[in-house]
Amino acid sequence: MHSGYFSYHRIQRILARRCPFVYIRFNAYLSSFSESNFNPGSHPVRDSNVSFVERDHFDEGNVDFGKFREMGVEDSRELSLFGDNNGGYQRNRSLNFDGFDEIEEEEGDNCPADDDFVVLNSYNVQCEQTEDVWRIELEEDELRHPLVREICRLIQCRSAWNAKLERDMRHLLRSLKPRQVCAVLLSQDDERVALQFFYWADRQWRYRHNPIVYYAMLEILSKTKLCQGAKRVLRLMARRGIECRPEAFGYLMVSYSRAGNLRNAMKVLTLMQKAGVELNLAVCNTAIHVLVRANKLEKALRFFERMQIVGIIPNVVAYNCLIKGYCNVNQVENALQLISDMPSKNCSPDKVSYYTIMSFFCKEKQVKEVRDLMEKMVKESNLFPDMVTYDTLIHILSKHGHADEALEFLQEAEARGFQIDKVGHSAIVHAYCKQGKIDEAKGIVSEMLSKGCNPDVVTYTAVVDGFCRVGKLEQAKKMLQHMYKHGCKPNTVSYTALLTGLCRNGSSLQAREMLTGSEEEFWTPNAITYSAVMNGLRKEGKLSEACDVVKEMISKGFFPNPVEINLIIESLCREGKMNEAKRFLEECLNKGCAVNVVNFTTLIHGYCQKDDLEAALSLLDDMYLSNKHPDAVTYTAIIDALGKNGRIEEATDLTMKMLKKGLLPTPVTYRTVIHRYCQMGKVEDLLKLLEKMLLRQKCKTAYNQVIEKLCSFGNLQEADKLLSRVLKTASRNDANTCNMLLESYLSKGMPLSAYKVACRMFNRNLIPNLKLSDKLSKRLMLEGKSAEADNLMLRFVERGHLSPQCE
């Protein structure tokens, strides 16, 4: 045993000295500890025998973070809360997370069943009932710490990432305290970037996340729709042996809720039960909040009742969630009744209870009801209005455009001795500016100055925006100068408001000049600033300048989103500048912008409009090389262009390829295919293709469209052959199709064939159009077919309709 021990350490020393990468992998294998295989100063080395974890859904196809991923985001094996077969973590054996993967994206009704509430039956009545929520509170100096700021600077350079920057960041990471790591995460404007940094740091050698970092990350994700990221962080906690408190599951529930996945949010309760984590009041309150947020008030009330049955005594937070739910569905009377019933349940309402209902009244501009509720708050709950009360009312009224009423409450507050700060005044100024009442807004600013409440940059920016909204651009510029005179330096938002106004009023070139001179004016444009100028130039047809703004934007570390990229491509295609559009798309790809399938499809559609099918097909192949998978819209655009140019066989092959890829044809796909095949007279080929398409995606009106399209092209014989397929369902759409065929026969001078169509309609209890039937009857009489004309009249009489002649 001794010899084995020394052999093991000897092997370690040799590997560490001669083969550091093998040493790291060997050490990771022996300790069941998976870490990134980075050697300082070199690029990450990946073991070819290890299957990397699949990336999260939120950044699939998102090239923005491609460089950042290379920092070592990939895991060495599939994350699993119940361990793996390759020696993965299983430290937290007391937790049973086998049911975690049951939380998958489900289709259909997103409403949770009452069975999801059965988990409440497992509540331990003897355990102490608390609402202990663990949150990370950081001081301002922690957020501004030099190490934190340097890490954030390096993260911002991810578009130009290299081995040196990575080495620097790895060195700094090991010097960070846990709270400083939390500060780095909280300092990121984009939560996806924070999550990528979290993953990267988790895989660094000689570094382990402190438990508070996991909870900070979960809290950040709970404010986003990145539920898959939150789910993965919770998995990592179990793998690393971190205690999973109820709050961790609550954060996951909220993230699922924000993503619109209520059913999975409620299934987290079942996951807690299987993990052996006791329910607490905070998680129950989160469940009620999630149900209310999804407009499932009835289920929230049932959950609330079951809580009490199993012994969980709701607190004021639970009641406030229900009050919010009642207000959301305009049942304010029930909300008021709930407040009245709370004292009898040994739970007194707090100010939030009243503020919630006041917010509803403010939104509806019911000022009298607000005042009545304030009196009730004093008499029944002994809660007196304070500055927070008035601030709340002022902000809500201003938010919903009721500036006059907000001003009334401001004056009332000041009359009672409360001093409303510049934030409250700014809210009213902004509300007036949005309504175009600039004089009233200026009056508020003057009043602020007279009271010694100096307006800040937010107040002045609201006035600048107001001038721009009414087209008074010169006064907006003077206001910026006025800010300097009063010692209030305009910020990026101030200039962005002015540039947006210039672009909105057709002066985008002037806005571009101001953007170029931003360094001289000592202000820094942000992504919104660049987007405003870019869109202004695009709308004015100055596409070359718009592309230049995008290039400058990317060089400054800001990336246009797919919508903005698409607007530029679409405008270039509309102008026929296909080469410029393709070059722009390639530059966005190379710079790491988030180019998606819609951007490629827009460019392909542009090529199809110009009948440049070779370029369109080539770009289709390029999509696969760029890991952007075409969708049904992409294929439909090319299929339509091929059919338009008579290349029907290639269109058939492409349609079959689309089906083999698992893509479902859309209604537009059906219309396109039917139009082009009928135009070419390829009815038999069309029917064969439709059978295969219908097997993948049903379309009730497919054959109706074929008949109508054949009628429009004058191919009535083929249309008549398909009539039996349409008459099987005998719906209103079928009646319209038959009427179209009947009318086509009449226009071709074939009344007898039209009569046969009418008879077939009667046989399927469908009534032909009366005006068409009147016309048909007259044509039959002219051609000596009086028996058929009389029979047509009798058919109408039998079904209780007046004959055309009697009408």
Side-chain angles (χ1 to χ4, degrees):
M1 187 171 181
H2 251 315
S3 62
Y5 174 81
F6 284 112
S7 299
Y8 158 71
H9 280 280
R10 185 179 180 186
I11 292 171
Q12 273 196 318
R13 287 196 299 273
I14 293 171
L15 289 176
R17 185 171 63 254
R18 298 184 180 179
C19 307
F21 294 127
V22 178
Y23 163 72
I24 294 170
R25 178 62 66 186
F26 177 73
N27 215 27
Y29 170 76
L30 290 174
S31 63
S32 296
F33 191 77
S34 170
E35 297 290 348
S36 296
N37 303 324
F38 292 158
N39 183 29
S42 65
H43 288 289
V45 177
R46 299 171 182 169
D47 189 346
S48 60
N49 296 323
V50 178
S51 60
F52 292 114
V53 68
E54 294 179 358
R55 297 183 178 93
D56 285 322
H57 297 299
F58 71 84
D59 63 345
E60 285 182 355
N62 207 351
V63 191
D64 261 353
F65 305 100
K67 297 285 185 182
F68 199 71
R69 290 196 195 100
E70 294 178 5
M71 295 160 58
V73 170
E74 296 89 352
D75 199 355
S76 60
R77 56 180 63 88
E78 180 65 44
L79 293 171
S80 173
L81 287 172
F82 44 84
D84 55 273
N85 299 325
N86 301 318
Y89 284 114
Q90 239 180 351
R91 293 190 179 188
N92 201 355
R93 292 183 179 272
S94 62
L95 296 181
N96 175 19
F97 282 94
D98 291 354
F100 197 101
D101 290 321
E102 293 176 9
I103 300 184
E104 301 295 342
E105 300 300 327
E106 299 185 19
E107 297 183 4
D109 185 16
N110 193 30
C111 182
D114 284 348
D115 293 342
D116 295 333
F117 303 163
V118 176
V119 68
L120 289 170
N121 296 334
S122 64
Y123 175 71
N124 184 4
V125 182
Q126 296 180 349
C127 72
E128 184 180 357
Q129 182 174 317
T130 63
E131 194 194 11
D132 180 23
V133 180
W134 190 12
R135 284 193 174 92
I136 311 301
E137 300 290 342
L138 296 177
E139 300 294 336
E140 187 67 24
D141 58 343
E142 291 177 307
L143 293 170
R144 295 182 176 274
H145 193 279
L147 283 176
V148 173
R149 295 174 67 179
E150 180 61 16
I151 285 278
C152 292
R153 185 190 70 80
L154 292 172
I155 291 175
Q156 289 178 352
C157 298
R158 63 189 182 278
S159 60
W161 198 254
N162 55 45
K164 180 182 181 302
L165 292 177
E166 182 179 350
R167 183 170 63 250
D168 293 344
M169 188 143 98
R170 191 186 303 115
H171 177 73
L172 290 172
L173 175 66
R174 293 171 185 150
S175 304
L176 290 178
K177 297 178 181 179
R179 293 179 64 85
Q180 292 172 341
V181 177
C182 295
V184 172
L185 296 175
L186 291 168
S187 298
Q188 303 308 312
D189 294 329
D190 191 332
E191 294 82 1
R192 295 173 299 177
V193 176
L195 185 58
Q196 291 289 349
F197 172 76
F198 175 87
Y199 289 151
W200 175 83
D202 181 68
R203 283 147 183 81
Q204 298 311 301
W205 188 38
R206 293 182 180 176
Y207 173 82
R208 291 289 299 274
H209 279 316
N210 187 279
I212 66 170
V213 178
Y214 288 94
Y215 283 89
M217 189 70 251
L218 283 172
E219 185 175 358
I220 291 171
L221 294 175
S222 71
K223 300 172 184 177
T224 72
K225 298 179 181 180
L226 305 178
C227 52
Q228 293 299 327
K231 174 181 171 182
R232 186 177 171 188
V233 171
L234 198 57
R235 279 177 162 176
L236 279 172
M237 291 178 68
R239 272 188 75 183
R240 303 295 192 255
I242 307 297
E243 179 189 3
C244 292
R245 296 164 59 90
E247 294 79 30
F249 295 91
Y251 289 139
L252 179 59
M253 288 179 69
V254 176
S255 185
Y256 269 123
S257 171
R258 289 184 181 276
N261 200 328
L262 176 61
R263 178 171 295 180
N264 284 351
M266 297 305 295
K267 282 192 173 183
V268 174
L269 295 175
T270 306
L271 172 62
M272 282 185 63
Q273 182 185 30
K274 292 183 178 181
V277 179
E278 290 285 348
L279 283 173
N280 70 356
L281 185 57
V283 173
C284 292
N285 288 342
T286 301
I288 295 175
H289 165 73
V290 164
L291 290 167
V292 168
R293 181 184 176 86
N295 293 322
K296 302 295 180 184
L297 179 59
E298 292 183 4
K299 288 190 175 291
L301 290 169
R302 287 203 292 272
F303 187 92
F304 181 79
E305 292 172 1
R306 190 169 294 188
M307 276 174 57
Q308 298 174 78
I309 291 173
V310 301
I312 303 176
I313 302 173
N315 62 0
V316 68
V317 176
Y319 282 101
N320 287 344
C321 288
L322 294 179
I323 290 170
K324 175 69 172 174
Y326 279 126
C327 291
N328 288 345
V329 295
N330 297 327
Q331 296 181 17
V332 69
E333 293 80 7
N334 290 336
L336 290 168
Q337 184 62 46
L338 191 59
I339 284 183
S340 300
D341 295 341
M342 286 175 67
S344 64
K345 303 289 186 180
N346 294 322
C347 181
S348 300
D350 60 6
K351 288 187 177 181
V352 176
S353 311
Y354 289 98
Y355 292 166
T356 304
I357 303 179
M358 287 181 189
S359 300
F360 173 82
F361 286 140
C362 289
K363 185 173 66 174
E364 300 296 325
K365 202 177 178 179
Q366 297 176 354
V367 178
K368 181 180 180 301
E369 287 77 0
V370 171
R371 297 191 183 281
D372 293 342
L373 191 59
M374 290 174 69
E375 292 180 6
K376 180 178 179 180
M377 184 173 73
V378 175
K379 292 179 180 178
E380 297 185 6
S381 301
N382 201 30
L383 297 172
F384 293 90
D386 55 13
M387 195 167 72
V388 176
T389 308
Y390 285 104
D391 272 336
T392 302
L393 295 174
I394 290 168
H395 280 87
I396 295 172
L397 286 166
S398 300
K399 178 182 176 181
H400 293 285
H402 309 315
D404 292 330
E405 290 74 14
L407 183 59
E408 287 180 16
F409 278 105
L410 185 145
Q411 294 168 348
E412 179 181 322
E414 291 180 338
R416 292 193 175 190
F418 298 115
Q419 291 185 348
I420 304 299
D421 59 10
K422 60 185 69 177
V423 178
H425 285 85
S426 299
I428 301 176
V429 170
H430 184 59
Y432 274 129
C433 290
K434 284 176 67 177
Q435 296 173 11
K437 298 179 178 180
I438 305 300
D439 293 335
E440 288 83 347
K442 290 170 64 178
I444 298 291
V445 175
S446 301
E447 186 179 337
M448 290 175 67
L449 291 169
S450 64
K451 292 187 294 187
C453 178
N454 293 327
D456 59 5
V457 66
V458 177
T459 315
Y460 284 116
T461 300
V463 178
V464 170
D465 181 61
F467 279 128
C468 292
R469 285 176 182 270
V470 297
K472 297 181 178 180
L473 301 178
E474 292 303 320
Q475 294 192 39
K477 294 177 185 178
K478 290 179 181 179
M479 181 57 69
L480 286 180
Q481 301 301 322
H482 182 76
M483 291 174 67
Y484 279 110
K485 291 180 182 179
H486 284 78
C488 183
K489 181 183 176 182
N491 60 11
T492 300
V493 181
S494 309
Y495 280 100
T496 301
L498 177 58
L499 295 183
T500 303
L502 290 169
C503 293
R504 194 184 293 131
N505 288 274
S507 302
S508 57
L509 286 178
Q510 188 177 350
R512 176 66 174 121
E513 290 177 5
M514 290 187 64
L515 185 66
T516 305
S518 59
E519 294 184 4
E520 299 175 2
E521 297 291 336
F522 302 103
W523 67 278
T524 305
N526 59 16
I528 299 174
T529 315
Y530 282 107
S531 297
V533 177
M534 181 266 291
N535 281 311
L537 291 167
R538 179 190 60 80
K539 290 178 180 177
E540 293 182 26
K542 299 175 175 62
L543 302 180
S544 176
E545 290 84 351
C547 291
D548 291 338
V549 170
V550 174
K551 292 175 186 177
E552 181 181 332
M553 178 181 183
I554 295 172
S555 68
K556 298 292 186 180
F558 303 112
F559 294 96
N561 60 44
V563 176
E564 293 166 342
I565 294 172
N566 205 62
L567 289 171
I568 294 289
I569 295 174
E570 187 178 17
S571 298
L572 289 168
C573 291
R574 195 182 300 117
E575 296 286 330
K577 300 177 179 179
M578 302 308 303
N579 293 332
E580 289 86 342
K582 185 177 182 182
R583 194 180 307 116
F584 176 76
L585 182 64
E586 290 172 348
E587 288 177 358
C588 290
L589 271 173
N590 295 334
K591 294 295 184 179
C593 298
V595 177
N596 62 14
V597 63
V598 178
N599 305 139
F600 276 96
T601 302
T602 301
L603 185 55
I604 286 174
H605 184 262
Y607 278 122
C608 291
Q609 292 288 91
K610 296 294 181 182
D611 291 332
D612 191 352
L613 292 178
E614 302 309 319
L617 291 169
S618 175
L619 193 57
L620 182 67
D621 295 333
D622 291 343
M623 290 182 69
Y624 286 104
L625 296 176
S626 302
N627 198 29
K628 301 291 185 295
H629 299 286
D631 57 13
V633 180
T634 315
Y635 279 102
T636 301
I638 303 179
I639 291 168
D640 182 54
L642 289 169
K644 179 182 176 182
N645 286 270
R647 299 163 65 171
I648 205 70
E649 293 181 359
E650 293 178 65
T652 304
D653 294 339
L654 197 61
T655 305
M656 293 304 301
K657 181 180 179 181
M658 181 186 79
L659 296 175
K660 289 178 181 178
K661 294 280 185 185
L663 298 173
L664 302 178
T666 66
V668 178
T669 311
Y670 274 103
R671 287 198 298 271
T672 300
V673 170
I674 290 170
H675 176 80
R676 295 306 176 189
Y677 276 79
C678 290
Q679 187 180 37
M680 298 293 294
K682 301 281 187 178
V683 181
E684 292 299 325
D685 295 336
L686 172 61
L687 295 178
K688 292 178 183 178
L689 185 59
L690 280 179
E691 288 179 3
K692 296 175 181 178
M693 292 172 65
L694 289 168
L695 288 174
R696 300 302 304 274
Q697 180 69 27
K698 297 295 183 184
C699 180
K700 295 180 180 180
T701 62
Y703 292 110
N704 298 73
Q705 293 181 52
V706 175
I707 292 175
E708 292 169 9
K709 193 60 64 175
L710 288 171
C711 289
S712 65
F713 287 120
N715 196 345
L716 304 184
Q717 185 177 1
E718 294 292 342
D720 198 81
K721 291 179 182 179
L722 294 174
L723 193 60
S724 58
R725 300 196 186 197
V726 168
L727 289 173
K728 287 181 180 178
T729 54
S731 66
R732 180 178 297 178
N733 288 329
D734 300 334
N736 295 334
T737 303
C738 293
N739 284 325
M740 185 172 182
L741 180 57
L742 191 152
E743 186 177 15
S744 299
Y745 272 129
L746 283 175
S747 63
K748 290 283 186 179
M750 303 169 66
L752 195 58
S753 298
Y755 168 73
K756 292 178 181 179
V757 172
C759 290
R760 295 175 70 179
M761 290 179 69
F762 279 122
N763 292 338
R764 294 295 299 167
N765 291 324
L766 295 175
I767 308 300
N769 181 273
L770 288 174
K771 292 183 178 179
L772 285 176
S773 300
D774 183 30
K775 186 177 179 181
L776 173 58
S777 177
K778 292 177 180 178
R779 292 289 294 274
L780 288 171
M781 293 295 292
L782 289 174
E783 296 195 5
K785 305 291 184 181
S786 57
E788 287 79 359
D790 293 340
N791 187 42
L792 185 64
M793 291 172 55
L794 289 173
R795 290 293 188 102
F796 275 101
V797 172
E798 288 173 357
R799 283 157 180 78
H801 289 266
L802 292 174
S803 66
Q805 284 83 351
C806 295
E807 192 182 22

